[in-house]
Amino acid sequence: MGSHPDKLIHAIAADNQLRCVAAVTTRLIGEACRRHQTFPTASVALGRTLTGGLLLGAGIKDLEKITVHFHCDGPIGNIIAQADPFGRVRGYVTNPEADATVANAVGKFDVQAIVGSGTLFVTRDAGFEIGLYKDAYRGSVPITSGEIGEDIAYYLAKSEQIPSAVSLGVLMSVDPSDDDDAPEFTLDRLRVAAAGGYIIQLLPSADETLIRQVEQTIAQAPASTDMVRMGYSPEAMLQAALGELDLRVLEAREPSFYCQCSRERVLQIISSLGRQEVEDMLAKDNGAELICHFCNETYQITGDELADILTAVD
Ligand code: ZN
């Protein structure tokens, strides 16, 4: 169960008429949930969004990063995922304790209940690195489903006019406790048992009837959570979704939870705050503590480091 290393592939199918991306993300979603100490339902929502972001960004050549932002009026607040074309993703939720557990044997959680309605924003940054300075592309749609995968599919159809099938799944499990009176879950017993998903998109050259054919095969395939739980590779997930259609894998890599933050960057940010602010930090706390939203890493900055910054600003 979830023992495979994470894997991300992109592929084409049906004689170049379909673009496909698929991933097993069990480990990286596990790391994200551990870092952010998310409760079960928030874990599922974050895991689906991170996988969705990863798949949207995968293999897009001129893309620097893509940001998927669910601005929700439900208890979870915001769900943010940011990914690059190389399979690196980071993200967080505003309220990691948002939970709506529907206790049943397969660990179903009511993601819709903590998302509610709101807006899904997708921002693509491209071209900066090679000096093109293109404007970022930003699209948005109302959150209509609250199940994340369906919302991303709706966004792709509505905002980017790309008919797409999106399937995202996260399965949580709770390790048993020796204590009979233990609560239903505690964070140290909570595990991401399986995570992954796929996106299949119709290319402009595609035959219109193809999407109906794919919809039918997807309806007969197991849900992506079940496929990951059963040990399916990303290739096998796509093949199950595509039925008889031919599939050609173009690239495979190991995706990861990756945040660009570092002590150096934190010190740069503090330097940019200006003299007064840094003097205040030094006087009040003889140091500073900064936490990265994306990965929840805490940076303790000492009084000596603040003093160095002040000397450098002179
Ligand atoms: Zn970070």
mmCIF file with all atom_site columns, all heavy atoms in Angstrom, residues 35 90 257-262 291-297 299, ligand 1:
data_model
loop_
_atom_site.group_PDB
_atom_site.id
_atom_site.type_symbol
_atom_site.label_atom_id
_atom_site.label_alt_id
_atom_site.label_comp_id
_atom_site.label_asym_id
_atom_site.label_entity_id
_atom_site.label_seq_id
_atom_site.pdbx_PDB_ins_code
_atom_site.Cartn_x
_atom_site.Cartn_y
_atom_site.Cartn_z
_atom_site.occupancy
_atom_site.B_iso_or_equiv
_atom_site.pdbx_formal_charge
_atom_site.auth_seq_id
_atom_site.auth_comp_id
_atom_site.auth_asym_id
_atom_site.auth_atom_id
_atom_site.pdbx_PDB_model_num
ATOM   1   N  N   . ARG A 1 35  ? 4.149  18.335 7.685  1.00 0.00 ? 35  ARG A N   1
ATOM   2   C  CA  . ARG A 1 35  ? 4.660  19.690 7.910  1.00 0.00 ? 35  ARG A CA  1
ATOM   3   C  C   . ARG A 1 35  ? 3.572  20.620 8.438  1.00 0.00 ? 35  ARG A C   1
ATOM   4   O  O   . ARG A 1 35  ? 3.810  21.433 9.313  1.00 0.00 ? 35  ARG A O   1
ATOM   5   C  CB  . ARG A 1 35  ? 5.202  20.279 6.604  1.00 0.00 ? 35  ARG A CB  1
ATOM   6   C  CG  . ARG A 1 35  ? 6.573  19.768 6.235  1.00 0.00 ? 35  ARG A CG  1
ATOM   7   C  CD  . ARG A 1 35  ? 7.040  20.401 4.924  1.00 0.00 ? 35  ARG A CD  1
ATOM   8   N  NE  . ARG A 1 35  ? 8.429  20.065 4.659  1.00 0.00 ? 35  ARG A NE  1
ATOM   9   C  CZ  . ARG A 1 35  ? 9.469  20.749 5.135  1.00 0.00 ? 35  ARG A CZ  1
ATOM   10  N  NH1 . ARG A 1 35  ? 9.263  21.827 5.878  1.00 0.00 ? 35  ARG A NH1 1
ATOM   11  N  NH2 . ARG A 1 35  ? 10.690 20.373 4.869  1.00 0.00 ? 35  ARG A NH2 1
ATOM   12  N  N   . ARG A 1 90  ? 4.714  22.911 -3.653 1.00 0.00 ? 90  ARG A N   1
ATOM   13  C  CA  . ARG A 1 90  ? 4.606  23.285 -2.242 1.00 0.00 ? 90  ARG A CA  1
ATOM   14  C  C   . ARG A 1 90  ? 3.221  23.878 -2.044 1.00 0.00 ? 90  ARG A C   1
ATOM   15  O  O   . ARG A 1 90  ? 2.557  24.259 -3.022 1.00 0.00 ? 90  ARG A O   1
ATOM   16  C  CB  . ARG A 1 90  ? 5.690  24.296 -1.859 1.00 0.00 ? 90  ARG A CB  1
ATOM   17  C  CG  . ARG A 1 90  ? 5.611  25.603 -2.641 1.00 0.00 ? 90  ARG A CG  1
ATOM   18  C  CD  . ARG A 1 90  ? 6.695  26.578 -2.205 1.00 0.00 ? 90  ARG A CD  1
ATOM   19  N  NE  . ARG A 1 90  ? 6.504  27.877 -2.869 1.00 0.00 ? 90  ARG A NE  1
ATOM   20  C  CZ  . ARG A 1 90  ? 7.125  28.991 -2.508 1.00 0.00 ? 90  ARG A CZ  1
ATOM   21  N  NH1 . ARG A 1 90  ? 7.994  28.972 -1.519 1.00 0.00 ? 90  ARG A NH1 1
ATOM   22  N  NH2 . ARG A 1 90  ? 6.898  30.118 -3.142 1.00 0.00 ? 90  ARG A NH2 1
ATOM   23  N  N   . PHE A 1 257 ? 7.855  17.396 -2.649 1.00 0.00 ? 257 PHE A N   1
ATOM   24  C  CA  . PHE A 1 257 ? 7.455  18.607 -1.939 1.00 0.00 ? 257 PHE A CA  1
ATOM   25  C  C   . PHE A 1 257 ? 8.723  19.426 -1.798 1.00 0.00 ? 257 PHE A C   1
ATOM   26  O  O   . PHE A 1 257 ? 9.708  18.975 -1.221 1.00 0.00 ? 257 PHE A O   1
ATOM   27  C  CB  . PHE A 1 257 ? 6.877  18.268 -0.555 1.00 0.00 ? 257 PHE A CB  1
ATOM   28  C  CG  . PHE A 1 257 ? 6.323  19.477 0.161  1.00 0.00 ? 257 PHE A CG  1
ATOM   29  C  CD1 . PHE A 1 257 ? 4.985  19.816 0.040  1.00 0.00 ? 257 PHE A CD1 1
ATOM   30  C  CD2 . PHE A 1 257 ? 7.139  20.286 0.936  1.00 0.00 ? 257 PHE A CD2 1
ATOM   31  C  CE1 . PHE A 1 257 ? 4.473  20.944 0.672  1.00 0.00 ? 257 PHE A CE1 1
ATOM   32  C  CE2 . PHE A 1 257 ? 6.634  21.420 1.569  1.00 0.00 ? 257 PHE A CE2 1
ATOM   33  C  CZ  . PHE A 1 257 ? 5.295  21.738 1.446  1.00 0.00 ? 257 PHE A CZ  1
ATOM   34  N  N   . TYR A 1 258 ? 8.706  20.622 -2.353 1.00 0.00 ? 258 TYR A N   1
ATOM   35  C  CA  . TYR A 1 258 ? 9.930  21.420 -2.376 1.00 0.00 ? 258 TYR A CA  1
ATOM   36  C  C   . TYR A 1 258 ? 9.577  22.877 -2.149 1.00 0.00 ? 258 TYR A C   1
ATOM   37  O  O   . TYR A 1 258 ? 8.702  23.423 -2.821 1.00 0.00 ? 258 TYR A O   1
ATOM   38  C  CB  . TYR A 1 258 ? 10.619 21.261 -3.739 1.00 0.00 ? 258 TYR A CB  1
ATOM   39  C  CG  . TYR A 1 258 ? 11.802 22.180 -3.943 1.00 0.00 ? 258 TYR A CG  1
ATOM   40  C  CD1 . TYR A 1 258 ? 13.046 21.856 -3.386 1.00 0.00 ? 258 TYR A CD1 1
ATOM   41  C  CD2 . TYR A 1 258 ? 11.677 23.360 -4.656 1.00 0.00 ? 258 TYR A CD2 1
ATOM   42  C  CE1 . TYR A 1 258 ? 14.130 22.704 -3.554 1.00 0.00 ? 258 TYR A CE1 1
ATOM   43  C  CE2 . TYR A 1 258 ? 12.768 24.214 -4.834 1.00 0.00 ? 258 TYR A CE2 1
ATOM   44  C  CZ  . TYR A 1 258 ? 13.988 23.879 -4.284 1.00 0.00 ? 258 TYR A CZ  1
ATOM   45  O  OH  . TYR A 1 258 ? 15.064 24.705 -4.451 1.00 0.00 ? 258 TYR A OH  1
ATOM   46  N  N   . CYS A 1 259 ? 10.245 23.496 -1.198 1.00 0.00 ? 259 CYS A N   1
ATOM   47  C  CA  . CYS A 1 259 ? 10.022 24.923 -0.957 1.00 0.00 ? 259 CYS A CA  1
ATOM   48  C  C   . CYS A 1 259 ? 11.331 25.666 -1.172 1.00 0.00 ? 259 CYS A C   1
ATOM   49  O  O   . CYS A 1 259 ? 12.390 25.199 -0.776 1.00 0.00 ? 259 CYS A O   1
ATOM   50  C  CB  . CYS A 1 259 ? 9.508  25.154 0.460  1.00 0.00 ? 259 CYS A CB  1
ATOM   51  S  SG  . CYS A 1 259 ? 8.967  26.857 0.704  1.00 0.00 ? 259 CYS A SG  1
ATOM   52  N  N   . GLN A 1 260 ? 11.231 26.831 -1.814 1.00 0.00 ? 260 GLN A N   1
ATOM   53  C  CA  . GLN A 1 260 ? 12.416 27.619 -2.145 1.00 0.00 ? 260 GLN A CA  1
ATOM   54  C  C   . GLN A 1 260 ? 12.933 28.439 -0.965 1.00 0.00 ? 260 GLN A C   1
ATOM   55  O  O   . GLN A 1 260 ? 13.931 29.118 -1.075 1.00 0.00 ? 260 GLN A O   1
ATOM   56  C  CB  . GLN A 1 260 ? 12.114 28.603 -3.284 1.00 0.00 ? 260 GLN A CB  1
ATOM   57  C  CG  . GLN A 1 260 ? 11.793 27.976 -4.608 1.00 0.00 ? 260 GLN A CG  1
ATOM   58  C  CD  . GLN A 1 260 ? 10.304 27.719 -4.779 1.00 0.00 ? 260 GLN A CD  1
ATOM   59  O  OE1 . GLN A 1 260 ? 9.630  27.228 -3.858 1.00 0.00 ? 260 GLN A OE1 1
ATOM   60  N  NE2 . GLN A 1 260 ? 9.762  28.025 -5.932 1.00 0.00 ? 260 GLN A NE2 1
ATOM   61  N  N   . CYS A 1 261 ? 12.219 28.408 0.164  1.00 0.00 ? 261 CYS A N   1
ATOM   62  C  CA  . CYS A 1 261 ? 12.641 29.278 1.256  1.00 0.00 ? 261 CYS A CA  1
ATOM   63  C  C   . CYS A 1 261 ? 13.979 28.805 1.819  1.00 0.00 ? 261 CYS A C   1
ATOM   64  O  O   . CYS A 1 261 ? 14.337 27.637 1.723  1.00 0.00 ? 261 CYS A O   1
ATOM   65  C  CB  . CYS A 1 261 ? 11.578 29.343 2.353  1.00 0.00 ? 261 CYS A CB  1
ATOM   66  S  SG  . CYS A 1 261 ? 11.427 27.845 3.329  1.00 0.00 ? 261 CYS A SG  1
ATOM   67  N  N   . SER A 1 262 ? 14.729 29.732 2.382  1.00 0.00 ? 262 SER A N   1
ATOM   68  C  CA  . SER A 1 262 ? 16.021 29.394 2.986  1.00 0.00 ? 262 SER A CA  1
ATOM   69  C  C   . SER A 1 262 ? 16.349 30.495 3.992  1.00 0.00 ? 262 SER A C   1
ATOM   70  O  O   . SER A 1 262 ? 15.754 31.566 3.973  1.00 0.00 ? 262 SER A O   1
ATOM   71  C  CB  . SER A 1 262 ? 17.116 29.341 1.920  1.00 0.00 ? 262 SER A CB  1
ATOM   72  O  OG  . SER A 1 262 ? 17.306 30.631 1.362  1.00 0.00 ? 262 SER A OG  1
ATOM   73  N  N   . ILE A 1 291 ? 8.100  32.335 10.023 1.00 0.00 ? 291 ILE A N   1
ATOM   74  C  CA  . ILE A 1 291 ? 7.621  31.014 9.602  1.00 0.00 ? 291 ILE A CA  1
ATOM   75  C  C   . ILE A 1 291 ? 7.213  31.090 8.138  1.00 0.00 ? 291 ILE A C   1
ATOM   76  O  O   . ILE A 1 291 ? 6.483  31.998 7.736  1.00 0.00 ? 291 ILE A O   1
ATOM   77  C  CB  . ILE A 1 291 ? 6.419  30.565 10.468 1.00 0.00 ? 291 ILE A CB  1
ATOM   78  C  CG1 . ILE A 1 291 ? 6.854  30.421 11.934 1.00 0.00 ? 291 ILE A CG1 1
ATOM   79  C  CG2 . ILE A 1 291 ? 5.852  29.233 9.953  1.00 0.00 ? 291 ILE A CG2 1
ATOM   80  C  CD1 . ILE A 1 291 ? 5.714  30.262 12.913 1.00 0.00 ? 291 ILE A CD1 1
ATOM   81  N  N   . CYS A 1 292 ? 7.701  30.158 7.327  1.00 0.00 ? 292 CYS A N   1
ATOM   82  C  CA  . CYS A 1 292 ? 7.317  30.114 5.920  1.00 0.00 ? 292 CYS A CA  1
ATOM   83  C  C   . CYS A 1 292 ? 5.920  29.490 5.810  1.00 0.00 ? 292 CYS A C   1
ATOM   84  O  O   . CYS A 1 292 ? 5.697  28.381 6.276  1.00 0.00 ? 292 CYS A O   1
ATOM   85  C  CB  . CYS A 1 292 ? 8.327  29.287 5.119  1.00 0.00 ? 292 CYS A CB  1
ATOM   86  S  SG  . CYS A 1 292 ? 7.831  29.064 3.400  1.00 0.00 ? 292 CYS A SG  1
ATOM   87  N  N   . HIS A 1 293 ? 4.981  30.240 5.196  1.00 0.00 ? 293 HIS A N   1
ATOM   88  C  CA  . HIS A 1 293 ? 3.621  29.734 5.027  1.00 0.00 ? 293 HIS A CA  1
ATOM   89  C  C   . HIS A 1 293 ? 3.592  28.447 4.222  1.00 0.00 ? 293 HIS A C   1
ATOM   90  O  O   . HIS A 1 293 ? 2.819  27.548 4.495  1.00 0.00 ? 293 HIS A O   1
ATOM   91  C  CB  . HIS A 1 293 ? 2.772  30.758 4.268  1.00 0.00 ? 293 HIS A CB  1
ATOM   92  C  CG  . HIS A 1 293 ? 2.230  31.833 5.148  1.00 0.00 ? 293 HIS A CG  1
ATOM   93  N  ND1 . HIS A 1 293 ? 1.343  31.572 6.154  1.00 0.00 ? 293 HIS A ND1 1
ATOM   94  C  CD2 . HIS A 1 293 ? 2.444  33.164 5.157  1.00 0.00 ? 293 HIS A CD2 1
ATOM   95  C  CE1 . HIS A 1 293 ? 1.031  32.700 6.759  1.00 0.00 ? 293 HIS A CE1 1
ATOM   96  N  NE2 . HIS A 1 293 ? 1.695  33.688 6.174  1.00 0.00 ? 293 HIS A NE2 1
ATOM   97  N  N   . PHE A 1 294 ? 4.432  28.396 3.186  1.00 0.00 ? 294 PHE A N   1
ATOM   98  C  CA  . PHE A 1 294 ? 4.348  27.288 2.232  1.00 0.00 ? 294 PHE A CA  1
ATOM   99  C  C   . PHE A 1 294 ? 4.784  25.949 2.820  1.00 0.00 ? 294 PHE A C   1
ATOM   100 O  O   . PHE A 1 294 ? 4.224  24.921 2.477  1.00 0.00 ? 294 PHE A O   1
ATOM   101 C  CB  . PHE A 1 294 ? 5.180  27.600 0.986  1.00 0.00 ? 294 PHE A CB  1
ATOM   102 C  CG  . PHE A 1 294 ? 4.449  28.452 -0.004 1.00 0.00 ? 294 PHE A CG  1
ATOM   103 C  CD1 . PHE A 1 294 ? 4.741  29.800 -0.134 1.00 0.00 ? 294 PHE A CD1 1
ATOM   104 C  CD2 . PHE A 1 294 ? 3.466  27.894 -0.801 1.00 0.00 ? 294 PHE A CD2 1
ATOM   105 C  CE1 . PHE A 1 294 ? 4.053  30.585 -1.050 1.00 0.00 ? 294 PHE A CE1 1
ATOM   106 C  CE2 . PHE A 1 294 ? 2.783  28.669 -1.723 1.00 0.00 ? 294 PHE A CE2 1
ATOM   107 C  CZ  . PHE A 1 294 ? 3.074  30.015 -1.843 1.00 0.00 ? 294 PHE A CZ  1
ATOM   108 N  N   . CYS A 1 295 ? 5.800  25.965 3.686  1.00 0.00 ? 295 CYS A N   1
ATOM   109 C  CA  . CYS A 1 295 ? 6.326  24.682 4.187  1.00 0.00 ? 295 CYS A CA  1
ATOM   110 C  C   . CYS A 1 295 ? 6.338  24.597 5.699  1.00 0.00 ? 295 CYS A C   1
ATOM   111 O  O   . CYS A 1 295 ? 6.713  23.573 6.246  1.00 0.00 ? 295 CYS A O   1
ATOM   112 C  CB  . CYS A 1 295 ? 7.710  24.430 3.620  1.00 0.00 ? 295 CYS A CB  1
ATOM   113 S  SG  . CYS A 1 295 ? 8.950  25.568 4.262  1.00 0.00 ? 295 CYS A SG  1
ATOM   114 N  N   . ASN A 1 296 ? 5.939  25.682 6.373  1.00 0.00 ? 296 ASN A N   1
ATOM   115 C  CA  . ASN A 1 296 ? 5.834  25.721 7.836  1.00 0.00 ? 296 ASN A CA  1
ATOM   116 C  C   . ASN A 1 296 ? 7.180  25.612 8.536  1.00 0.00 ? 296 ASN A C   1
ATOM   117 O  O   . ASN A 1 296 ? 7.237  25.248 9.706  1.00 0.00 ? 296 ASN A O   1
ATOM   118 C  CB  . ASN A 1 296 ? 4.879  24.623 8.329  1.00 0.00 ? 296 ASN A CB  1
ATOM   119 C  CG  . ASN A 1 296 ? 4.104  25.068 9.548  1.00 0.00 ? 296 ASN A CG  1
ATOM   120 O  OD1 . ASN A 1 296 ? 3.945  26.263 9.791  1.00 0.00 ? 296 ASN A OD1 1
ATOM   121 N  ND2 . ASN A 1 296 ? 3.629  24.130 10.333 1.00 0.00 ? 296 ASN A ND2 1
ATOM   122 N  N   . GLU A 1 297 ? 8.246  25.908 7.814  1.00 0.00 ? 297 GLU A N   1
ATOM   123 C  CA  . GLU A 1 297 ? 9.583  25.907 8.420  1.00 0.00 ? 297 GLU A CA  1
ATOM   124 C  C   . GLU A 1 297 ? 9.730  27.170 9.280  1.00 0.00 ? 297 GLU A C   1
ATOM   125 O  O   . GLU A 1 297 ? 9.323  28.250 8.861  1.00 0.00 ? 297 GLU A O   1
ATOM   126 C  CB  . GLU A 1 297 ? 10.631 25.915 7.294  1.00 0.00 ? 297 GLU A CB  1
ATOM   127 C  CG  . GLU A 1 297 ? 12.027 25.562 7.702  1.00 0.00 ? 297 GLU A CG  1
ATOM   128 C  CD  . GLU A 1 297 ? 12.205 24.065 7.952  1.00 0.00 ? 297 GLU A CD  1
ATOM   129 O  OE1 . GLU A 1 297 ? 11.638 23.256 7.191  1.00 0.00 ? 297 GLU A OE1 1
ATOM   130 O  OE2 . GLU A 1 297 ? 12.905 23.735 8.914  1.00 0.00 ? 297 GLU A OE2 1
ATOM   131 N  N   . TYR A 1 299 ? 12.181 29.892 11.115 1.00 0.00 ? 299 TYR A N   1
ATOM   132 C  CA  . TYR A 1 299 ? 13.529 30.444 11.085 1.00 0.00 ? 299 TYR A CA  1
ATOM   133 C  C   . TYR A 1 299 ? 13.728 31.332 12.302 1.00 0.00 ? 299 TYR A C   1
ATOM   134 O  O   . TYR A 1 299 ? 13.008 32.319 12.474 1.00 0.00 ? 299 TYR A O   1
ATOM   135 C  CB  . TYR A 1 299 ? 13.750 31.248 9.791  1.00 0.00 ? 299 TYR A CB  1
ATOM   136 C  CG  . TYR A 1 299 ? 13.771 30.378 8.556  1.00 0.00 ? 299 TYR A CG  1
ATOM   137 C  CD1 . TYR A 1 299 ? 12.607 30.155 7.823  1.00 0.00 ? 299 TYR A CD1 1
ATOM   138 C  CD2 . TYR A 1 299 ? 14.947 29.761 8.149  1.00 0.00 ? 299 TYR A CD2 1
ATOM   139 C  CE1 . TYR A 1 299 ? 12.619 29.335 6.699  1.00 0.00 ? 299 TYR A CE1 1
ATOM   140 C  CE2 . TYR A 1 299 ? 14.965 28.948 7.028  1.00 0.00 ? 299 TYR A CE2 1
ATOM   141 C  CZ  . TYR A 1 299 ? 13.799 28.741 6.308  1.00 0.00 ? 299 TYR A CZ  1
ATOM   142 O  OH  . TYR A 1 299 ? 13.822 27.939 5.205  1.00 0.00 ? 299 TYR A OH  1
HETATM 143 ZN ZN  . ZN  B 2 .   ? 9.243  27.316 2.887  1.00 0.00 ? 1   ZN  B ZN  1
#
